[in-house]
Amino acid sequence: MSRHVADKRATPSGVRVQRFLAIARARRETWHRKQEEAGPSRLIQFLRIERGRTA
């Protein structure tokens, strides 16, 4: 009895691993965007919320 068609895979060539490593070595700015620093008004808002004052 022979194997099913789905069980007859070609031998892996390692292309998927090579592509994965190329993506891993690429610059990370693709996913990680730099955020601008918080200004003074943003800091004041954060401190107000941290103290429990919401109004």
Side-chain angles (χ1 to χ4, degrees):
M1 186 170 204
S2 64
R3 290 180 146 188
H4 191 269
V5 176
D7 292 334
K8 297 180 184 177
R9 293 190 201 170
T11 57
S13 62
V15 175
R16 289 181 68 186
V17 174
Q18 290 174 359
R19 297 238 172 105
F20 176 80
L21 292 175
I23 291 171
R25 291 180 187 135
R27 296 183 69 183
R28 298 187 62 93
E29 292 176 4
T30 305
W31 293 284
H32 301 285
R33 291 182 290 150
K34 294 180 181 178
Q35 293 182 352
E36 297 178 9
E37 292 183 12
S41 62
R42 182 91 182 234
L43 180 61
I44 292 169
Q45 292 173 2
F46 175 76
L47 292 173
R48 177 182 52 81
I49 294 168
E50 187 67 24
R51 292 181 187 129
R53 299 179 191 159
T54 57

